[in-house]
Amino acid sequence: MKRNAFFCIFLLVGISTVLHGQQLFTPAQMAAANTADSVSYMSDEEKEVILYMNLARLDGDKFYGSYIPGFLESYNNNFGDKIMPNNKYLLSLKADLKKVKGLGLLHPNKNLWTSATYHAKDMGKMGMTGHNSSDGTSCAKRIERFNPKVGCWAENCSYGMGSAISIVCQLLIDNNVSPTGHRTNILKSIQKSVGVGIAPHKVYRSNCVMDFSCE
């Protein structure tokens, strides 16, 4: 079984993102990207994470223009480590997103959601970070336990972001994360399914786990 690289990044507090140019996406595109809309087991915020990841996969250039400026404005107003226009991770994201057009949309998967939610709740309750469970269970064993037929998989973890769009923008920029593994996981063409779990965190206030599969 192929085991994709998985990565983790944490920020200390949540932020709300001001959207710029959201009208670049048509109502039809927004509806198409909202693949989790009718799912009953996910929260609205978890569904929105999938929506924004799908918009980035649908048209990366439009996504950048619609959401990244607002994220940067909010981030730079709330954090000391500013992400400036010449930031190499920001520049590489802009270049990468220009190449993204019409990737297959991610669809929600209940087993992946169960795995992601289990981990988000576990990390939140214990005040921990990382991919292994608090009892030492590896990321691979956890995902495979909830998804026995999973083939290739990947996982992203985010801590402290205050909204779905902030989670997605933060992981796409991957500031100071080399290689940019979160971005790769979100934009990888072979990804087909995803589960997103968001839970309170006793240290970082909130944490989000994304479990991906190419099945």
Side-chain angles (χ1 to χ4, degrees):
M1 179 181 63
K2 180 180 178 181
R3 295 184 175 176
N4 294 21
F6 44 87
F7 303 82
C8 178
I9 185 172
F10 11 109
L11 293 176
L12 299 182
V13 299
I15 64 177
S16 61
T17 298
V18 179
L19 303 185
H20 289 221
Q22 186 173 353
Q23 70 274 10
L24 288 173
F25 283 101
T26 67
Q29 288 174 318
M30 297 291 287
N34 197 12
T35 57
D37 183 45
S38 62
V39 171
S40 61
Y41 54 83
M42 300 178 71
S43 71
D44 288 343
E45 188 175 14
E46 290 165 350
K47 293 178 185 181
E48 287 179 2
V49 169
I50 296 178
L51 165 66
Y52 291 122
M53 287 194 293
N54 276 336
L55 289 176
R57 292 170 67 89
L58 185 66
D59 191 321
D61 199 31
K62 281 187 179 181
F63 182 91
Y64 190 98
S66 295
Y67 300 109
I68 296 299
F71 173 79
L72 293 174
E73 179 180 326
S74 183
Y75 184 94
N76 289 335
N77 284 336
N78 287 275
F79 291 90
D81 58 327
K82 311 297 185 187
I83 301 177
M84 304 309 291
N86 63 346
N87 179 285
K88 68 177 183 179
Y89 295 94
L90 182 63
L91 293 175
S92 70
L93 174 64
K94 188 172 185 178
D96 286 348
L97 286 179
K98 279 186 177 295
K99 304 171 189 175
V100 176
K101 188 87 168 180
L103 288 181
L105 298 177
L106 298 169
H107 290 270
N109 177 288
K110 191 171 184 179
N111 288 337
L112 291 171
W113 171 81
T114 302
S115 173
T117 299
Y118 176 91
H119 192 56
K121 289 181 176 179
D122 183 33
M123 294 294 96
K125 180 179 179 181
M126 303 303 293
M128 296 174 62
T129 62
H131 295 277
N132 290 344
S133 300
S134 61
D135 64 2
T137 300
S138 70
C139 176
K141 288 185 178 179
R142 168 175 46 83
I143 292 175
E144 290 164 6
R145 181 170 78 242
F146 291 110
N147 304 269
K149 295 182 180 180
V150 71
C152 55
W153 56 265
E155 180 170 274
N156 284 350
C157 297
S158 168
Y159 300 85
M161 291 290 95
S163 66
I165 185 59
S166 297
I167 291 167
V168 175
C169 288
Q170 171 227 347
L171 293 176
L172 282 171
I173 294 174
D174 253 2
N175 191 39
N176 295 322
V177 177
S178 182
T180 52
H182 304 103
R183 183 191 307 172
T184 298
N185 287 340
I186 292 172
L187 300 178
K188 188 173 290 185
S189 61
I190 64 171
Q191 308 291 31
K192 294 181 180 179
S193 303
V194 67
V196 176
I198 298 175
H201 196 282
K202 67 188 296 185
V203 176
Y204 299 109
R205 192 166 64 179
S206 177
N207 76 130
C208 173
V209 177
M210 307 168 176
D211 284 345
F212 301 87
S213 173
C214 60
E215 302 296 328

PDB file of all heavy atoms in Angstrom, residues 121-142:
ATOM      1  N   LYS A 121     -10.888  15.085  17.882  1.00  0.00           N
ATOM      2  CA  LYS A 121     -11.397  15.058  19.262  1.00  0.00           C
ATOM      3  C   LYS A 121     -10.316  14.591  20.233  1.00  0.00           C
ATOM      4  O   LYS A 121     -10.181  15.135  21.343  1.00  0.00           O
ATOM      5  CB  LYS A 121     -12.621  14.155  19.358  1.00  0.00           C
ATOM      6  CG  LYS A 121     -13.857  14.726  18.690  1.00  0.00           C
ATOM      7  CD  LYS A 121     -15.056  13.784  18.847  1.00  0.00           C
ATOM      8  CE  LYS A 121     -16.315  14.403  18.273  1.00  0.00           C
ATOM      9  NZ  LYS A 121     -17.485  13.494  18.390  1.00  0.00           N
ATOM     10  N   ASP A 122      -9.550  13.593  19.831  1.00  0.00           N
ATOM     11  CA  ASP A 122      -8.475  13.057  20.675  1.00  0.00           C
ATOM     12  C   ASP A 122      -7.414  14.112  20.938  1.00  0.00           C
ATOM     13  O   ASP A 122      -7.024  14.359  22.091  1.00  0.00           O
ATOM     14  CB  ASP A 122      -7.864  11.839  19.980  1.00  0.00           C
ATOM     15  CG  ASP A 122      -6.780  11.157  20.799  1.00  0.00           C
ATOM     16  OD1 ASP A 122      -6.876  11.158  22.042  1.00  0.00           O
ATOM     17  OD2 ASP A 122      -5.837  10.612  20.191  1.00  0.00           O
ATOM     18  N   MET A 123      -6.944  14.762  19.880  1.00  0.00           N
ATOM     19  CA  MET A 123      -5.929  15.796  20.046  1.00  0.00           C
ATOM     20  C   MET A 123      -6.468  16.972  20.856  1.00  0.00           C
ATOM     21  O   MET A 123      -5.777  17.548  21.695  1.00  0.00           O
ATOM     22  CB  MET A 123      -5.439  16.281  18.678  1.00  0.00           C
ATOM     23  CG  MET A 123      -4.693  15.242  17.853  1.00  0.00           C
ATOM     24  SD  MET A 123      -3.100  14.700  18.557  1.00  0.00           S
ATOM     25  CE  MET A 123      -3.615  13.182  19.413  1.00  0.00           C
ATOM     26  N   GLY A 124      -7.732  17.339  20.599  1.00  0.00           N
ATOM     27  CA  GLY A 124      -8.322  18.462  21.314  1.00  0.00           C
ATOM     28  C   GLY A 124      -8.465  18.205  22.799  1.00  0.00           C
ATOM     29  O   GLY A 124      -8.128  19.064  23.626  1.00  0.00           O
ATOM     30  N   LYS A 125      -8.949  17.039  23.148  1.00  0.00           N
ATOM     31  CA  LYS A 125      -9.146  16.683  24.553  1.00  0.00           C
ATOM     32  C   LYS A 125      -7.828  16.595  25.306  1.00  0.00           C
ATOM     33  O   LYS A 125      -7.711  17.041  26.453  1.00  0.00           O
ATOM     34  CB  LYS A 125      -9.886  15.354  24.648  1.00  0.00           C
ATOM     35  CG  LYS A 125     -10.153  14.890  26.073  1.00  0.00           C
ATOM     36  CD  LYS A 125     -10.906  13.566  26.084  1.00  0.00           C
ATOM     37  CE  LYS A 125     -11.145  13.082  27.508  1.00  0.00           C
ATOM     38  NZ  LYS A 125     -11.871  11.773  27.526  1.00  0.00           N
ATOM     39  N   MET A 126      -6.810  16.036  24.649  1.00  0.00           N
ATOM     40  CA  MET A 126      -5.518  15.838  25.293  1.00  0.00           C
ATOM     41  C   MET A 126      -4.599  17.041  25.167  1.00  0.00           C
ATOM     42  O   MET A 126      -3.533  17.082  25.790  1.00  0.00           O
ATOM     43  CB  MET A 126      -4.833  14.607  24.705  1.00  0.00           C
ATOM     44  CG  MET A 126      -5.644  13.323  24.814  1.00  0.00           C
ATOM     45  SD  MET A 126      -6.111  12.903  26.510  1.00  0.00           S
ATOM     46  CE  MET A 126      -4.509  12.555  27.215  1.00  0.00           C
ATOM     47  N   GLY A 127      -4.973  18.026  24.345  1.00  0.00           N
ATOM     48  CA  GLY A 127      -4.115  19.193  24.139  1.00  0.00           C
ATOM     49  C   GLY A 127      -2.842  18.864  23.379  1.00  0.00           C
ATOM     50  O   GLY A 127      -1.806  19.500  23.584  1.00  0.00           O
ATOM     51  N   MET A 128      -2.928  17.890  22.474  1.00  0.00           N
ATOM     52  CA  MET A 128      -1.756  17.432  21.743  1.00  0.00           C
ATOM     53  C   MET A 128      -1.808  17.888  20.284  1.00  0.00           C
ATOM     54  O   MET A 128      -2.821  18.401  19.809  1.00  0.00           O
ATOM     55  CB  MET A 128      -1.675  15.899  21.799  1.00  0.00           C
ATOM     56  CG  MET A 128      -1.467  15.322  23.183  1.00  0.00           C
ATOM     57  SD  MET A 128      -1.563  13.498  23.214  1.00  0.00           S
ATOM     58  CE  MET A 128      -0.181  13.067  22.131  1.00  0.00           C
ATOM     59  N   THR A 129      -0.692  17.703  19.588  1.00  0.00           N
ATOM     60  CA  THR A 129      -0.608  17.937  18.148  1.00  0.00           C
ATOM     61  C   THR A 129       0.061  16.735  17.507  1.00  0.00           C
ATOM     62  O   THR A 129       0.680  15.915  18.197  1.00  0.00           O
ATOM     63  CB  THR A 129       0.207  19.211  17.824  1.00  0.00           C
ATOM     64  OG1 THR A 129       1.552  19.037  18.302  1.00  0.00           O
ATOM     65  CG2 THR A 129      -0.402  20.443  18.467  1.00  0.00           C
ATOM     66  N   GLY A 130      -0.049  16.641  16.198  1.00  0.00           N
ATOM     67  CA  GLY A 130       0.617  15.562  15.481  1.00  0.00           C
ATOM     68  C   GLY A 130      -0.370  14.573  14.911  1.00  0.00           C
ATOM     69  O   GLY A 130      -1.587  14.742  15.002  1.00  0.00           O
ATOM     70  N   HIS A 131       0.159  13.504  14.332  1.00  0.00           N
ATOM     71  CA  HIS A 131      -0.660  12.538  13.613  1.00  0.00           C
ATOM     72  C   HIS A 131      -0.904  11.250  14.384  1.00  0.00           C
ATOM     73  O   HIS A 131      -1.858  10.540  14.074  1.00  0.00           O
ATOM     74  CB  HIS A 131      -0.017  12.228  12.262  1.00  0.00           C
ATOM     75  CG  HIS A 131       0.017  13.408  11.347  1.00  0.00           C
ATOM     76  ND1 HIS A 131      -1.052  13.778  10.566  1.00  0.00           N
ATOM     77  CD2 HIS A 131       0.987  14.316  11.103  1.00  0.00           C
ATOM     78  CE1 HIS A 131      -0.745  14.855   9.870  1.00  0.00           C
ATOM     79  NE2 HIS A 131       0.495  15.206  10.182  1.00  0.00           N
ATOM     80  N   ASN A 132      -0.075  10.929  15.360  1.00  0.00           N
ATOM     81  CA  ASN A 132      -0.308   9.734  16.157  1.00  0.00           C
ATOM     82  C   ASN A 132      -1.347  10.005  17.237  1.00  0.00           C
ATOM     83  O   ASN A 132      -1.423  11.104  17.786  1.00  0.00           O
ATOM     84  CB  ASN A 132       0.985   9.250  16.809  1.00  0.00           C
ATOM     85  CG  ASN A 132       1.967   8.688  15.804  1.00  0.00           C
ATOM     86  OD1 ASN A 132       1.593   8.376  14.673  1.00  0.00           O
ATOM     87  ND2 ASN A 132       3.215   8.560  16.211  1.00  0.00           N
ATOM     88  N   SER A 133      -2.139   8.992  17.557  1.00  0.00           N
ATOM     89  CA  SER A 133      -3.154   9.124  18.601  1.00  0.00           C
ATOM     90  C   SER A 133      -2.498   9.270  19.969  1.00  0.00           C
ATOM     91  O   SER A 133      -1.324   8.958  20.150  1.00  0.00           O
ATOM     92  CB  SER A 133      -4.079   7.904  18.598  1.00  0.00           C
ATOM     93  OG  SER A 133      -4.738   7.767  17.357  1.00  0.00           O
ATOM     94  N   SER A 134      -3.271   9.733  20.930  1.00  0.00           N
ATOM     95  CA  SER A 134      -2.724   9.946  22.276  1.00  0.00           C
ATOM     96  C   SER A 134      -2.267   8.642  22.919  1.00  0.00           C
ATOM     97  O   SER A 134      -1.412   8.653  23.815  1.00  0.00           O
ATOM     98  CB  SER A 134      -3.763  10.633  23.170  1.00  0.00           C
ATOM     99  OG  SER A 134      -4.928   9.829  23.301  1.00  0.00           O
ATOM    100  N   ASP A 135      -2.805   7.491  22.464  1.00  0.00           N
ATOM    101  CA  ASP A 135      -2.367   6.204  23.008  1.00  0.00           C
ATOM    102  C   ASP A 135      -1.186   5.626  22.234  1.00  0.00           C
ATOM    103  O   ASP A 135      -0.769   4.496  22.483  1.00  0.00           O
ATOM    104  CB  ASP A 135      -3.528   5.208  23.029  1.00  0.00           C
ATOM    105  CG  ASP A 135      -4.050   4.851  21.628  1.00  0.00           C
ATOM    106  OD1 ASP A 135      -3.483   5.349  20.632  1.00  0.00           O
ATOM    107  OD2 ASP A 135      -5.017   4.077  21.539  1.00  0.00           O
ATOM    108  N   GLY A 136      -0.657   6.396  21.279  1.00  0.00           N
ATOM    109  CA  GLY A 136       0.498   5.961  20.516  1.00  0.00           C
ATOM    110  C   GLY A 136       0.173   5.284  19.194  1.00  0.00           C
ATOM    111  O   GLY A 136       1.089   4.961  18.424  1.00  0.00           O
ATOM    112  N   THR A 137      -1.118   5.070  18.908  1.00  0.00           N
ATOM    113  CA  THR A 137      -1.498   4.457  17.642  1.00  0.00           C
ATOM    114  C   THR A 137      -1.039   5.341  16.482  1.00  0.00           C
ATOM    115  O   THR A 137      -1.251   6.554  16.498  1.00  0.00           O
ATOM    116  CB  THR A 137      -3.024   4.266  17.565  1.00  0.00           C
ATOM    117  OG1 THR A 137      -3.442   3.414  18.636  1.00  0.00           O
ATOM    118  CG2 THR A 137      -3.427   3.631  16.238  1.00  0.00           C
ATOM    119  N   SER A 138      -0.427   4.733  15.490  1.00  0.00           N
ATOM    120  CA  SER A 138       0.075   5.506  14.359  1.00  0.00           C
ATOM    121  C   SER A 138      -1.074   6.017  13.507  1.00  0.00           C
ATOM    122  O   SER A 138      -2.186   5.473  13.512  1.00  0.00           O
ATOM    123  CB  SER A 138       1.010   4.653  13.496  1.00  0.00           C
ATOM    124  OG  SER A 138       0.269   3.658  12.805  1.00  0.00           O
ATOM    125  N   CYS A 139      -0.775   7.060  12.761  1.00  0.00           N
ATOM    126  CA  CYS A 139      -1.730   7.615  11.818  1.00  0.00           C
ATOM    127  C   CYS A 139      -2.213   6.533  10.847  1.00  0.00           C
ATOM    128  O   CYS A 139      -3.418   6.419  10.575  1.00  0.00           O
ATOM    129  CB  CYS A 139      -1.071   8.765  11.065  1.00  0.00           C
ATOM    130  SG  CYS A 139      -2.062   9.503   9.763  1.00  0.00           S
ATOM    131  N   ALA A 140      -1.299   5.747  10.328  1.00  0.00           N
ATOM    132  CA  ALA A 140      -1.648   4.708   9.357  1.00  0.00           C
ATOM    133  C   ALA A 140      -2.630   3.700   9.948  1.00  0.00           C
ATOM    134  O   ALA A 140      -3.645   3.361   9.322  1.00  0.00           O
ATOM    135  CB  ALA A 140      -0.386   3.995   8.891  1.00  0.00           C
ATOM    136  N   LYS A 141      -2.349   3.238  11.157  1.00  0.00           N
ATOM    137  CA  LYS A 141      -3.226   2.239  11.773  1.00  0.00           C
ATOM    138  C   LYS A 141      -4.596   2.823  12.073  1.00  0.00           C
ATOM    139  O   LYS A 141      -5.622   2.140  11.941  1.00  0.00           O
ATOM    140  CB  LYS A 141      -2.585   1.682  13.045  1.00  0.00           C
ATOM    141  CG  LYS A 141      -1.408   0.760  12.776  1.00  0.00           C
ATOM    142  CD  LYS A 141      -0.879   0.146  14.055  1.00  0.00           C
ATOM    143  CE  LYS A 141       0.268  -0.823  13.759  1.00  0.00           C
ATOM    144  NZ  LYS A 141       0.825  -1.424  15.001  1.00  0.00           N
ATOM    145  N   ARG A 142      -4.642   4.077  12.499  1.00  0.00           N
ATOM    146  CA  ARG A 142      -5.936   4.712  12.786  1.00  0.00           C
ATOM    147  C   ARG A 142      -6.775   4.813  11.521  1.00  0.00           C
ATOM    148  O   ARG A 142      -7.953   4.429  11.516  1.00  0.00           O
ATOM    149  CB  ARG A 142      -5.741   6.093  13.405  1.00  0.00           C
ATOM    150  CG  ARG A 142      -7.026   6.910  13.459  1.00  0.00           C
ATOM    151  CD  ARG A 142      -6.859   8.229  14.171  1.00  0.00           C
ATOM    152  NE  ARG A 142      -5.675   8.963  13.769  1.00  0.00           N
ATOM    153  CZ  ARG A 142      -5.611   9.746  12.694  1.00  0.00           C
ATOM    154  NH1 ARG A 142      -6.657   9.872  11.895  1.00  0.00           N
ATOM    155  NH2 ARG A 142      -4.494  10.395  12.399  1.00  0.00           N
TER     156      ARG A 142
END
